[in-house]
Structure formats: structure tokens, C-alpha cells
Amino acid sequence: MSVALSRLPGDFLDYYLAQGYYRMGQNLFTCQFLPLETGLYTTHWLRLAVARVTYGPKQRQLFRLNERFEVAVRPFRLTPEYEALYARYYQSIDFDANPSLGDLLLEGSPHNIFDTHVLEVRDGERLIAAGVFDSGTESIAGIVNFYDPAYHKHSLGKYLMLLKLEHARRHRLAYYYPGYLVHGYPKFDYKLFACLAATEVFNARTHQWRPFSWEEVNREATRLLADREARDLAEETE
């Protein structure tokens, strides 16, 4: 399901994020299932309540590991430098993704309907990581993180999640939305790294956010798949 928009005020973005929607290109969409070669999986949207975030040893260690790097937040403009870094990142990943940053964010449009910023991480003058996020009135949505594969030991994807959380904290925002995880498909589980205790998961049937637990995700996945199977059987008998 998608909603086409010409302009998106911040409070509108807050509302749609809270309803389990997310950015895709220049639209908002939501989904409950992800079809992969290995089967049909359920998706579970996440958010972090910024005021409840606390860091443990792993998060503090990552801040120390990367403290020599320079960090800046800028309004997003598509530049050759970002595209070059994204291209290096794209060549290193083993999952499906858009082949260019422009395709991912703008879909060929010269106009961006979202209030988008980018977190830059530099080693001296060298751009080594970038994290793109959209801003609402009370929330941010992390859209994509990409980084130089030569710095893989610095866990820059997770580091960018922490930097986005710190940006939200400095601006006294309520929520940070990192996207979804996929039940039974651990490639997306890194989105739980920042602070599990502050993470909430969206229940698509009740439209409520619940404290994250794997038990909650397991129950919801079972119900979503059962509902899907029942609908498919009903359609076959019509």
C-alpha cells in the first residue's frame, strides 16, 4: 500500500510513521510481508523512545572506537561524493539494494518532498560514512546508512544509528524510527543494537506500539501468516 504526496509537513510524517508507514523513494508505504527466495517472511516496524535510551558497554565502546572521526549534520543534497561512497558500499553488500543513492531517495525526481538531512563521518577530509534521515516535528526516520567497506572494523552502520539517536536527543525529539526487522531473517536484527529496552514494535492488527520482545514478534508473525493463509484459501474457493 502506498500514499503519493506532493509535500510532507513534519507533523504528517510523524503521523504516518506512527501508523507503520515508511519512506520509499518519494512516497510512503507500509507492508506486513517480505517475499524472499527462501519463503514469505513477516515484517515488524520498530521505533526507539528517545527519552528511554541508555547505552551499555557495547555502545559506549563503539563511541570510543570512533571518537577520532569528525561528525557533521547537513541538509541533504545529492553530490558526487555521496554517490561515490554509496557505490563503494553497494559493491560490498550481499543483499538487494538500489544501485545508486539518487535512485534510492529521489527516483529521478529533482524535488525531494521530505525534510532530509545527512550525518557525515570523516577521517580527516575523507568521507567514510553517511547516514540519511528524514525529520518530522517530533521524530526522525533513518532511511539509509552507507560507508566505506575499508572501515568495516569500525561498525559504521551501527555507529550511524547511535549518531542519529544522539541527534534526536539533542533536539528533544520523541522517536527515532530505524525501519523494520524480519521474523526469522536475522540480516535486519542489527536495528536492535542501539537500545533494546527503549525499542518498541508495531502491531499491525491493533495499530499499537508495544515494548519490543521476541515473544511479541513471534506471536504477531504467527498471526499474520495464519491470517494470510486464511485469506488465500478463501480466495481460492471463490
Side-chain angles (χ1 to χ4, degrees):
M1 180 178 183
S2 64
V3 178
L5 300 166
S6 60
R7 179 177 177 274
L8 192 67
D11 56 344
F12 277 39
L13 181 61
D14 292 340
Y15 172 80
Y16 282 108
L17 289 171
Q19 299 302 310
Y21 284 76
Y22 213 71
R23 176 179 179 170
M24 178 181 285
Q26 288 294 288
N27 297 298
L28 291 170
F29 85 106
T30 190
C31 66
Q32 298 175 359
F33 301 96
L34 179 65
L36 298 170
E37 292 183 0
T38 50
L40 184 67
Y41 296 81
T42 56
T43 59
H44 305 269
W45 297 95
L46 303 174
R47 73 181 183 186
L48 287 98
V50 176
R52 300 207 310 269
V53 170
T54 58
Y55 297 133
K58 291 183 179 179
Q59 292 77 23
R60 292 193 293 270
Q61 181 181 20
L62 191 54
F63 277 120
R64 290 194 298 270
L65 177 64
N66 297 324
E67 63 185 359
R68 69 182 176 89
F69 300 139
E70 296 181 7
V71 176
V73 181
R74 307 184 193 282
F76 176 78
R77 299 288 184 273
L78 188 62
T79 67
E81 185 180 37
Y82 294 153
E83 283 287 22
L85 177 61
Y86 184 88
R88 294 198 298 276
Y89 168 77
Y90 179 77
Q91 292 298 319
S92 72
I93 60 178
D94 60 355
F95 54 87
D96 289 336
N98 293 76
S100 77
L101 187 61
D103 288 342
L104 173 64
L105 297 176
L106 301 177
E107 298 179 316
S109 172
H111 175 65
N112 181 16
I113 68 170
F114 297 91
D115 180 13
T116 306
H117 288 74
V118 58
L119 268 158
E120 296 181 352
V121 181
R122 292 183 181 272
D123 187 0
E125 296 185 358
R126 179 179 181 178
L127 180 68
I128 63 171
V132 177
F133 63 94
D134 293 330
S135 296
T137 302
E138 297 184 350
S139 61
I140 61 171
I143 306 305
V144 62
N145 296 328
F146 53 101
Y147 47 86
D148 190 329
Y151 288 76
H152 70 278
K153 292 182 179 180
H154 289 265
S155 299
L156 293 174
K158 291 179 178 178
Y159 183 52
L160 285 164
M161 287 185 63
L162 298 182
L163 292 177
K164 289 176 182 179
L165 263 176
E166 288 303 294
H167 174 85
R169 195 202 300 269
R170 285 194 303 273
H171 288 80
R172 300 182 181 180
L173 303 179
Y175 296 109
Y176 163 47
Y177 292 81
Y180 61 60
L181 59 74
V182 179
H183 180 259
Y185 192 74
K187 277 186 177 293
F188 294 84
D189 290 358
Y190 70 89
K191 295 176 183 178
L192 301 172
F193 170 78
C195 180
L196 194 61
T199 302
E200 299 176 349
V201 60
F202 186 66
N203 186 306
R205 293 177 306 105
T206 65
H207 284 241
Q208 294 178 326
W209 290 91
R210 303 276 297 164
F212 180 87
S213 70
W214 283 112
E215 291 80 5
E216 178 79 16
V217 170
N218 292 339
R219 284 194 298 268
E220 182 63 9
T222 299
R223 289 167 181 163
L224 287 172
L225 290 170
D227 290 347
R228 174 67 178 260
E229 183 177 358
R231 287 195 301 270
D232 290 347
L233 288 174
E235 291 175 359
E236 290 176 3
T237 58
E238 288 180 355

Short mmCIF file of all heavy atoms in Angstrom, two decimals, residues 13-15 17-19 22 46-53 133-142 164-169 171-178 198-201 209-210:
data_model
loop_
_atom_site.label_atom_id
_atom_site.label_comp_id
_atom_site.label_asym_id
_atom_site.label_seq_id
_atom_site.Cartn_x
_atom_site.Cartn_y
_atom_site.Cartn_z
N LEU A 13 4.53 13.55 8.65
CA LEU A 13 5.50 12.45 8.72
C LEU A 13 5.40 11.75 10.06
O LEU A 13 5.41 10.52 10.12
CB LEU A 13 6.92 12.97 8.50
CG LEU A 13 8.01 11.90 8.53
CD1 LEU A 13 7.81 10.86 7.44
CD2 LEU A 13 9.39 12.52 8.41
N ASP A 14 5.30 12.50 11.15
CA ASP A 14 5.14 11.89 12.47
C ASP A 14 3.94 10.95 12.48
O ASP A 14 4.02 9.82 13.00
CB ASP A 14 4.92 12.97 13.53
CG ASP A 14 6.13 13.83 13.77
OD1 ASP A 14 7.25 13.42 13.43
OD2 ASP A 14 5.95 14.95 14.30
N TYR A 15 2.82 11.42 11.93
CA TYR A 15 1.59 10.63 11.95
C TYR A 15 1.76 9.32 11.17
O TYR A 15 1.42 8.24 11.67
CB TYR A 15 0.43 11.43 11.36
CG TYR A 15 -0.83 10.61 11.16
CD1 TYR A 15 -1.69 10.34 12.24
CD2 TYR A 15 -1.14 10.07 9.91
CE1 TYR A 15 -2.82 9.57 12.07
CE2 TYR A 15 -2.28 9.29 9.74
CZ TYR A 15 -3.12 9.05 10.82
OH TYR A 15 -4.23 8.28 10.66
N LEU A 17 4.53 7.73 10.25
CA LEU A 17 5.48 6.83 10.90
C LEU A 17 4.83 6.08 12.05
O LEU A 17 5.07 4.88 12.24
CB LEU A 17 6.70 7.63 11.40
CG LEU A 17 7.65 8.18 10.35
CD1 LEU A 17 8.66 9.12 10.99
CD2 LEU A 17 8.37 7.06 9.61
N ALA A 18 4.00 6.77 12.81
CA ALA A 18 3.33 6.15 13.95
C ALA A 18 2.29 5.14 13.52
O ALA A 18 1.86 4.30 14.33
CB ALA A 18 2.68 7.22 14.83
N GLN A 19 1.88 5.17 12.26
CA GLN A 19 0.92 4.20 11.72
C GLN A 19 1.62 3.06 10.97
O GLN A 19 0.96 2.28 10.28
CB GLN A 19 -0.07 4.90 10.79
CG GLN A 19 -0.90 5.97 11.46
CD GLN A 19 -1.69 5.42 12.64
OE1 GLN A 19 -2.38 4.41 12.52
NE2 GLN A 19 -1.59 6.09 13.78
N TYR A 22 6.50 4.18 6.01
CA TYR A 22 7.92 4.50 5.89
C TYR A 22 8.19 5.02 4.49
O TYR A 22 7.39 4.84 3.57
CB TYR A 22 8.76 3.25 6.16
CG TYR A 22 10.08 3.52 6.82
CD1 TYR A 22 10.14 3.93 8.14
CD2 TYR A 22 11.28 3.36 6.12
CE1 TYR A 22 11.36 4.19 8.76
CE2 TYR A 22 12.49 3.60 6.73
CZ TYR A 22 12.53 4.02 8.05
OH TYR A 22 13.73 4.28 8.65
N LEU A 46 9.82 -0.89 13.73
CA LEU A 46 10.44 -0.56 15.01
C LEU A 46 10.52 0.94 15.21
O LEU A 46 10.58 1.72 14.25
CB LEU A 46 11.87 -1.14 15.07
CG LEU A 46 12.03 -2.63 14.86
CD1 LEU A 46 13.52 -2.98 14.81
CD2 LEU A 46 11.33 -3.43 15.95
N ARG A 47 10.57 1.36 16.47
CA ARG A 47 10.93 2.72 16.82
C ARG A 47 11.60 2.70 18.18
O ARG A 47 11.39 1.76 18.98
CB ARG A 47 9.73 3.66 16.81
CG ARG A 47 8.76 3.50 17.98
CD ARG A 47 7.60 4.49 17.85
NE ARG A 47 6.70 4.41 19.00
CZ ARG A 47 5.54 5.08 19.08
NH1 ARG A 47 5.15 5.87 18.09
NH2 ARG A 47 4.78 4.96 20.16
N LEU A 48 12.39 3.72 18.46
CA LEU A 48 13.02 3.88 19.76
C LEU A 48 12.46 5.11 20.44
O LEU A 48 12.39 6.19 19.83
CB LEU A 48 14.54 4.00 19.65
CG LEU A 48 15.26 2.70 19.30
CD1 LEU A 48 15.56 2.64 17.82
CD2 LEU A 48 16.54 2.55 20.11
N ALA A 49 12.04 4.96 21.69
CA ALA A 49 11.60 6.10 22.50
C ALA A 49 12.85 6.79 23.03
O ALA A 49 13.54 6.26 23.90
CB ALA A 49 10.70 5.62 23.64
N VAL A 50 13.15 7.94 22.48
CA VAL A 50 14.45 8.58 22.70
C VAL A 50 14.71 8.84 24.18
O VAL A 50 15.83 8.65 24.67
CB VAL A 50 14.54 9.88 21.88
CG1 VAL A 50 15.84 10.61 22.16
CG2 VAL A 50 14.42 9.57 20.38
N ALA A 51 13.70 9.27 24.92
CA ALA A 51 13.89 9.61 26.33
C ALA A 51 14.27 8.39 27.18
O ALA A 51 14.83 8.55 28.26
CB ALA A 51 12.61 10.25 26.89
N ARG A 52 13.99 7.19 26.68
CA ARG A 52 14.28 5.97 27.45
C ARG A 52 15.60 5.32 27.05
O ARG A 52 15.96 4.28 27.60
CB ARG A 52 13.14 4.97 27.30
CG ARG A 52 11.78 5.46 27.77
CD ARG A 52 10.90 4.31 28.22
NE ARG A 52 10.83 3.23 27.26
CZ ARG A 52 9.92 3.13 26.29
NH1 ARG A 52 9.00 4.08 26.15
NH2 ARG A 52 9.91 2.10 25.47
N VAL A 53 16.30 5.90 26.10
CA VAL A 53 17.54 5.28 25.61
C VAL A 53 18.66 5.41 26.63
O VAL A 53 18.93 6.50 27.15
CB VAL A 53 17.97 5.92 24.28
CG1 VAL A 53 19.37 5.48 23.89
CG2 VAL A 53 16.98 5.57 23.17
N PHE A 133 18.60 10.74 6.97
CA PHE A 133 17.38 10.62 7.77
C PHE A 133 16.41 11.75 7.42
O PHE A 133 16.82 12.83 6.99
CB PHE A 133 17.68 10.62 9.27
CG PHE A 133 18.30 11.88 9.80
CD1 PHE A 133 17.51 12.89 10.35
CD2 PHE A 133 19.68 12.07 9.79
CE1 PHE A 133 18.08 14.06 10.86
CE2 PHE A 133 20.25 13.22 10.27
CZ PHE A 133 19.46 14.23 10.82
N ASP A 134 15.12 11.47 7.61
CA ASP A 134 14.06 12.46 7.40
C ASP A 134 13.58 12.97 8.75
O ASP A 134 13.46 12.19 9.71
CB ASP A 134 12.88 11.85 6.65
CG ASP A 134 13.23 11.47 5.22
OD1 ASP A 134 14.10 12.13 4.64
OD2 ASP A 134 12.63 10.50 4.70
N SER A 135 13.29 14.25 8.81
CA SER A 135 12.86 14.88 10.06
C SER A 135 11.38 15.20 10.02
O SER A 135 10.88 15.77 9.04
CB SER A 135 13.65 16.17 10.30
OG SER A 135 15.02 15.90 10.47
N GLY A 136 10.68 14.84 11.11
CA GLY A 136 9.33 15.30 11.35
C GLY A 136 9.36 16.37 12.42
O GLY A 136 10.41 16.96 12.71
N THR A 137 8.21 16.60 13.04
CA THR A 137 8.14 17.56 14.13
C THR A 137 8.64 16.98 15.43
O THR A 137 9.33 17.64 16.20
CB THR A 137 6.69 18.05 14.31
OG1 THR A 137 6.24 18.62 13.07
CG2 THR A 137 6.60 19.10 15.40
N GLU A 138 8.33 15.69 15.67
CA GLU A 138 8.69 15.03 16.92
C GLU A 138 9.47 13.75 16.71
O GLU A 138 9.66 12.99 17.66
CB GLU A 138 7.43 14.74 17.75
CG GLU A 138 6.67 16.00 18.19
CD GLU A 138 5.49 15.67 19.06
OE1 GLU A 138 5.14 14.48 19.19
OE2 GLU A 138 4.91 16.62 19.64
N SER A 139 9.92 13.49 15.50
CA SER A 139 10.58 12.22 15.22
C SER A 139 11.53 12.35 14.04
O SER A 139 11.45 13.31 13.27
CB SER A 139 9.53 11.14 14.93
OG SER A 139 8.76 11.49 13.80
N ILE A 140 12.40 11.38 13.92
CA ILE A 140 13.20 11.21 12.71
C ILE A 140 13.07 9.77 12.25
O ILE A 140 12.83 8.85 13.04
CB ILE A 140 14.69 11.57 12.91
CG1 ILE A 140 15.35 10.67 13.97
CG2 ILE A 140 14.86 13.03 13.24
CD1 ILE A 140 16.86 10.84 14.05
N ALA A 141 13.25 9.58 10.94
CA ALA A 141 13.24 8.25 10.34
C ALA A 141 14.58 8.03 9.66
O ALA A 141 14.96 8.79 8.76
CB ALA A 141 12.10 8.12 9.34
N GLY A 142 15.31 7.03 10.09
CA GLY A 142 16.58 6.70 9.46
C GLY A 142 16.34 5.98 8.14
O GLY A 142 15.76 4.89 8.14
N LYS A 164 22.40 9.11 14.96
CA LYS A 164 21.03 9.58 14.71
C LYS A 164 20.25 9.70 16.01
O LYS A 164 19.48 10.66 16.22
CB LYS A 164 20.32 8.65 13.72
CG LYS A 164 20.86 8.76 12.31
CD LYS A 164 20.22 7.75 11.36
CE LYS A 164 20.82 7.85 9.97
NZ LYS A 164 20.24 6.88 9.02
N LEU A 165 20.43 8.74 16.89
CA LEU A 165 19.79 8.83 18.20
C LEU A 165 20.27 10.05 18.97
O LEU A 165 19.47 10.75 19.61
CB LEU A 165 20.09 7.56 19.01
CG LEU A 165 19.04 6.46 19.01
CD1 LEU A 165 19.54 5.25 19.76
CD2 LEU A 165 17.73 6.96 19.61
N GLU A 166 21.55 10.32 18.92
CA GLU A 166 22.08 11.49 19.62
C GLU A 166 21.54 12.79 19.00
O GLU A 166 21.27 13.75 19.73
CB GLU A 166 23.62 11.48 19.58
CG GLU A 166 24.24 10.42 20.49
CD GLU A 166 23.78 10.60 21.92
OE1 GLU A 166 24.12 11.63 22.54
OE2 GLU A 166 23.05 9.72 22.43
N HIS A 167 21.39 12.81 17.70
CA HIS A 167 20.77 13.98 17.05
C HIS A 167 19.35 14.16 17.56
O HIS A 167 18.94 15.29 17.89
CB HIS A 167 20.78 13.78 15.54
CG HIS A 167 20.05 14.86 14.79
ND1 HIS A 167 20.65 16.05 14.43
CD2 HIS A 167 18.75 14.94 14.35
CE1 HIS A 167 19.76 16.81 13.80
NE2 HIS A 167 18.61 16.16 13.73
N ALA A 168 18.58 13.07 17.63
CA ALA A 168 17.21 13.16 18.13
C ALA A 168 17.18 13.60 19.58
O ALA A 168 16.32 14.40 19.99
CB ALA A 168 16.51 11.80 17.97
N ARG A 169 18.13 13.13 20.36
CA ARG A 169 18.19 13.52 21.78
C ARG A 169 18.50 15.01 21.94
O ARG A 169 17.87 15.71 22.74
CB ARG A 169 19.25 12.67 22.50
CG ARG A 169 19.13 12.73 24.03
CD ARG A 169 20.44 12.35 24.67
NE ARG A 169 20.90 11.02 24.34
CZ ARG A 169 20.60 9.92 25.04
NH1 ARG A 169 19.83 10.00 26.11
NH2 ARG A 169 21.10 8.75 24.68
N HIS A 171 17.82 17.37 19.95
CA HIS A 171 16.68 18.18 19.51
C HIS A 171 15.40 17.84 20.27
O HIS A 171 14.32 18.31 19.90
CB HIS A 171 16.47 18.00 18.00
CG HIS A 171 17.53 18.67 17.17
ND1 HIS A 171 18.77 18.10 16.96
CD2 HIS A 171 17.54 19.85 16.52
CE1 HIS A 171 19.49 18.91 16.20
NE2 HIS A 171 18.78 19.98 15.92
N ARG A 172 15.54 17.04 21.32
CA ARG A 172 14.42 16.69 22.21
C ARG A 172 13.24 16.11 21.44
O ARG A 172 12.08 16.44 21.70
CB ARG A 172 14.00 17.91 23.04
CG ARG A 172 15.12 18.46 23.91
CD ARG A 172 14.66 19.62 24.75
NE ARG A 172 15.77 20.14 25.56
CZ ARG A 172 15.65 21.16 26.41
NH1 ARG A 172 14.48 21.79 26.53
NH2 ARG A 172 16.69 21.56 27.11
N LEU A 173 13.56 15.22 20.53
CA LEU A 173 12.52 14.53 19.77
C LEU A 173 12.06 13.29 20.52
O LEU A 173 12.76 12.76 21.39
CB LEU A 173 13.05 14.14 18.39
CG LEU A 173 13.58 15.30 17.53
CD1 LEU A 173 14.10 14.78 16.20
CD2 LEU A 173 12.50 16.35 17.32
N ALA A 174 10.87 12.83 20.18
CA ALA A 174 10.28 11.71 20.92
C ALA A 174 10.73 10.36 20.39
O ALA A 174 10.96 9.43 21.18
CB ALA A 174 8.76 11.81 20.88
N TYR A 175 10.85 10.22 19.05
CA TYR A 175 11.06 8.89 18.49
C TYR A 175 12.09 8.92 17.36
O TYR A 175 12.19 9.88 16.60
CB TYR A 175 9.74 8.31 17.94
CG TYR A 175 8.70 8.09 19.01
CD1 TYR A 175 7.58 8.92 19.07
CD2 TYR A 175 8.83 7.08 19.95
CE1 TYR A 175 6.62 8.74 20.05
CE2 TYR A 175 7.88 6.89 20.93
CZ TYR A 175 6.78 7.72 20.98
OH TYR A 175 5.83 7.55 21.95
N TYR A 176 12.79 7.80 17.26
CA TYR A 176 13.67 7.51 16.13
C TYR A 176 13.18 6.20 15.52
O TYR A 176 13.11 5.17 16.21
CB TYR A 176 15.11 7.40 16.60
CG TYR A 176 16.06 6.72 15.63
CD1 TYR A 176 16.08 7.03 14.27
CD2 TYR A 176 16.97 5.76 16.09
CE1 TYR A 176 16.95 6.41 13.41
CE2 TYR A 176 17.86 5.15 15.23
CZ TYR A 176 17.84 5.47 13.89
OH TYR A 176 18.71 4.85 13.03
N TYR A 177 12.84 6.23 14.24
CA TYR A 177 12.32 5.05 13.52
C TYR A 177 13.42 4.50 12.62
O TYR A 177 13.80 5.14 11.64
CB TYR A 177 11.12 5.45 12.66
CG TYR A 177 9.89 5.86 13.44
CD1 TYR A 177 9.75 7.13 13.97
CD2 TYR A 177 8.83 4.96 13.63
CE1 TYR A 177 8.61 7.52 14.66
CE2 TYR A 177 7.68 5.33 14.32
CZ TYR A 177 7.58 6.61 14.83
OH TYR A 177 6.44 6.98 15.52
N PRO A 178 13.96 3.31 12.91
CA PRO A 178 15.03 2.75 12.09
C PRO A 178 14.56 1.83 10.97
O PRO A 178 15.39 1.28 10.24
CB PRO A 178 15.85 1.96 13.12
CG PRO A 178 14.82 1.47 14.09
CD PRO A 178 13.78 2.56 14.17
N ALA A 198 14.60 0.47 25.00
CA ALA A 198 13.84 1.62 24.51
C ALA A 198 13.14 1.34 23.19
O ALA A 198 12.48 2.22 22.64
CB ALA A 198 14.77 2.82 24.34
N THR A 199 13.26 0.11 22.67
CA THR A 199 12.70 -0.23 21.37
C THR A 199 11.26 -0.70 21.51
O THR A 199 10.93 -1.48 22.40
CB THR A 199 13.55 -1.33 20.70
OG1 THR A 199 14.90 -0.87 20.58
CG2 THR A 199 13.01 -1.67 19.32
N GLU A 200 10.43 -0.23 20.60
CA GLU A 200 9.03 -0.64 20.52
C GLU A 200 8.77 -1.25 19.15
O GLU A 200 9.44 -0.94 18.18
CB GLU A 200 8.09 0.56 20.73
CG GLU A 200 8.25 1.22 22.08
CD GLU A 200 7.39 2.46 22.25
OE1 GLU A 200 6.83 2.93 21.24
OE2 GLU A 200 7.28 2.96 23.38
N VAL A 201 7.78 -2.15 19.08
CA VAL A 201 7.42 -2.83 17.84
C VAL A 201 5.94 -2.58 17.55
O VAL A 201 5.12 -2.58 18.46
CB VAL A 201 7.75 -4.34 17.91
CG1 VAL A 201 6.99 -5.04 19.03
CG2 VAL A 201 7.52 -5.01 16.57
N TRP A 209 1.77 0.36 19.40
CA TRP A 209 3.18 0.10 19.64
C TRP A 209 3.35 -0.58 20.98
O TRP A 209 2.78 -0.15 21.98
CB TRP A 209 3.97 1.40 19.61
CG TRP A 209 4.06 2.00 18.24
CD1 TRP A 209 3.20 2.90 17.68
CD2 TRP A 209 5.05 1.72 17.25
NE1 TRP A 209 3.59 3.21 16.39
CE2 TRP A 209 4.73 2.50 16.11
CE3 TRP A 209 6.18 0.91 17.21
CZ2 TRP A 209 5.50 2.47 14.95
CZ3 TRP A 209 6.96 0.89 16.06
CH2 TRP A 209 6.61 1.66 14.94
N ARG A 210 4.13 -1.66 20.97
CA ARG A 210 4.34 -2.46 22.18
C ARG A 210 5.83 -2.49 22.51
O ARG A 210 6.68 -2.39 21.61
CB ARG A 210 3.86 -3.89 21.94
CG ARG A 210 2.40 -4.00 21.54
CD ARG A 210 1.50 -3.98 22.72
NE ARG A 210 1.78 -5.14 23.57
CZ ARG A 210 1.37 -5.26 24.82
NH1 ARG A 210 0.70 -4.26 25.39
NH2 ARG A 210 1.64 -6.33 25.52
#
